[in-house]
Amino acid sequence: MTTVEEFAEGFLEEPGYLDFARVGPLSASVVAEVQGINEVFSRGRFGSLAPLRNEDERMRVAASALTGFPADQIVFQPNVGTGLMHAMFGLTGAVLLSRAEFPSLTFSAARASEALHAVQPVWLETDHGRVTPGTVREQLSDSVTAVAVSLVDSRTGYVADIDGIRQVIGDRLLIVDAVQGFGVVDAPYEVADVVVVGAEKWLRAGWGAAFMALSDRAIDNLIPVWSGHTGAGVVDPFDEVLPPERAATAFTVARADSVAQARMSAALEDVASVGVDVLEAAVADRVDRVIDLADEYGIPVASARETPERAGIVVIEPPHDRLTALSASLFNHGITATTRAGTVRLSAHVSFGEETLEMLRGAFTSYSTA
């Protein structure tokens, strides 16, 4: 097993980076993985490229270890949006989701409805943007065949209770966009029917790599609308167009990027070597320190304070006429964060250290005395 300290030493970003909810800078192991494969790829030595085909199985096994889904029910996707499109275009009936979800969810539901008229978005009225089992229960109807939710809300950092949502929706499909939390939230992914995860945030493996895990129920009920030759169950189906097989692989279009798979595998294996529960606790400690510092300087915290309801995100909300001053102070002190809709989102990973804390303290000091 790897300790949190050993894990944290494997990251390369400079102090002041507090924007992991937007994108996580690559880890040293991911960089090494890419460099190694690029060296092999660039040479093209006899027989050297064949092992790249093994990266698909490696990625699926690594994802299986962290989600609880069987490896043969996990497929690589080029990004989260594509995986969610596969799910939404495959639905029939109504899908219940909030308009406040990240656009990957809302746009995929809307586009599927517009194109096929087989699925209809039903917009959930939320509790201040929070999707809870109670709000879902109140707005379920017989026409709803699926519920879609983000594991972690990108604007507030709120962690959805997907186990509670499963209990209230019965045997309807549960679709979870888990990118904003995977690797730092120890969630019961196995209660979902579709889990889509990207590598670019807390996994810190870059853009262009994602996976989609499907339950037996999802495979049986979703129609693989976007299914290419790789979804037919035959290696090279020349001279005939075969139907999609009844398997997770049906939700693929073409052969995967082996280099992207290797990046994601390295990151997933690193997380598994520490344990998501251990990383969750370590990130919670970092978040506590950010919240304590905001409280010390009287900067209102708009995100959840209780550990079970939050991920690695702290949202601070200064008075409207002071937002520019706070953003400028953070910028001047080298703090990378996201400013959006009147708030500042700070997101901390395990590599958050004393130097970053002192840089943040300097920014808050400048802001409070300006």
Side-chain angles (χ1 to χ4, degrees):
M1 294 293 291
T2 304
T3 66
V4 170
E5 292 72 25
E6 292 168 336
F7 180 72
E9 288 174 359
F11 298 110
L12 310 170
E13 80 274 7
E14 295 183 358
Y17 194 87
L18 286 171
D19 212 7
F20 298 96
R22 180 171 63 90
V23 61
L26 300 181
S27 68
S29 60
V30 168
V31 171
E33 193 83 24
V34 173
Q35 291 174 337
I37 290 183
N38 284 345
E39 176 66 18
V40 171
F41 219 158
S42 65
R43 302 291 182 180
R45 291 193 180 97
F46 178 77
S48 65
L49 300 185
L52 291 179
R53 293 291 180 89
N54 298 330
E55 292 299 338
D56 182 71
E57 180 179 9
R58 178 190 174 195
M59 185 280 302
R60 291 186 291 105
V61 169
S64 174
L66 292 176
T67 61
F69 283 74
D72 62 358
Q73 292 178 207
I74 296 172
V75 290
F76 180 81
Q77 298 292 330
N79 48 58
V80 170
T82 300
L84 293 174
M85 286 283 189
H86 272 298
M88 294 297 183
F89 272 73
L91 286 173
T92 56
V95 56
L96 184 64
L97 73 163
S98 166
R99 287 187 186 273
E101 295 288 2
F102 192 80
S104 294
L105 266 177
T106 57
F107 272 64
S108 59
R111 295 294 182 258
S113 177
E114 294 161 1
L116 302 179
H117 308 290
V119 63
Q120 178 62 44
V122 175
W123 302 114
L124 178 75
E125 295 296 327
T126 66
D127 177 14
H128 298 89
R130 300 180 175 189
V131 178
T132 66
T135 57
V136 170
R137 181 192 297 108
E138 292 169 0
Q139 296 170 63
L140 277 178
S141 67
D142 292 341
S143 64
V144 172
T145 59
V147 173
V149 65
S150 296
L151 175 66
V152 175
D153 182 77
S154 64
R155 286 184 282 196
T156 66
Y158 175 73
V159 180
D161 178 6
I162 60 173
D163 189 31
I165 293 173
R166 161 55 68 202
Q167 293 177 36
V168 303
I169 69 172
D171 60 0
R172 295 172 176 88
L173 293 177
L174 177 57
I175 301 167
V176 178
D177 174 356
V179 63
Q180 194 60 276
F182 196 86
V184 293
V185 175
D186 189 19
Y189 298 104
E190 67 279 0
V191 305
D193 294 293
V194 178
V195 176
V196 187
V197 174
E200 73 272 19
K201 297 186 185 293
W202 305 99
L203 288 178
R204 306 185 63 168
W207 288 287
F211 70 79
M212 179 182 186
L214 299 109
S215 69
D216 291 333
R217 180 165 42 206
I219 293 171
D220 289 340
N221 288 279
L222 292 179
I223 300 169
V225 175
W226 294 359
S227 188
H229 66 276
T230 53
V234 177
V235 175
D236 290 309
F238 290 115
D239 302 324
E240 58 180 334
V241 178
L242 301 172
E245 64 176 339
R246 187 177 289 274
T249 51
F251 298 90
T252 62
V253 176
R255 288 195 177 97
D257 180 344
S258 297
V259 180
Q261 288 179 318
R263 284 192 281 113
M264 191 164 206
S265 296
L268 292 168
E269 290 161 0
D270 282 350
V271 168
S273 72
V274 184
V276 178
D277 57 338
V278 176
L279 293 176
E280 183 179 52
V283 169
D285 176 71
R286 274 68 170 175
V287 168
D288 283 339
R289 301 180 77 181
V290 175
I291 291 175
D292 289 345
L293 196 61
D295 288 344
E296 181 181 337
Y297 285 85
I299 303 174
V301 174
S303 52
R305 290 174 175 270
E306 299 301 319
T307 302
E309 294 186 351
R310 71 182 196 212
I313 294 172
V314 178
V315 179
I316 52 179
E317 190 172 8
H320 180 72
D321 60 349
R322 297 281 286 152
L323 177 63
T324 299
L326 178 58
S327 298
S329 184
L330 291 168
F331 179 86
N332 291 337
H333 285 79
I335 298 294
T336 303
T338 290
T339 300
R340 179 189 294 152
T343 63
V344 175
R345 185 182 68 187
L346 303 167
S347 43
H349 199 217
V350 295
S351 49
F352 173 88
E354 292 299 326
E355 191 170 353
T356 297
L357 184 67
E358 288 309 307
M359 291 169 70
L360 186 60
R361 179 182 294 278
F364 286 173
T365 300
S366 296
Y367 162 75
S368 64
T369 56

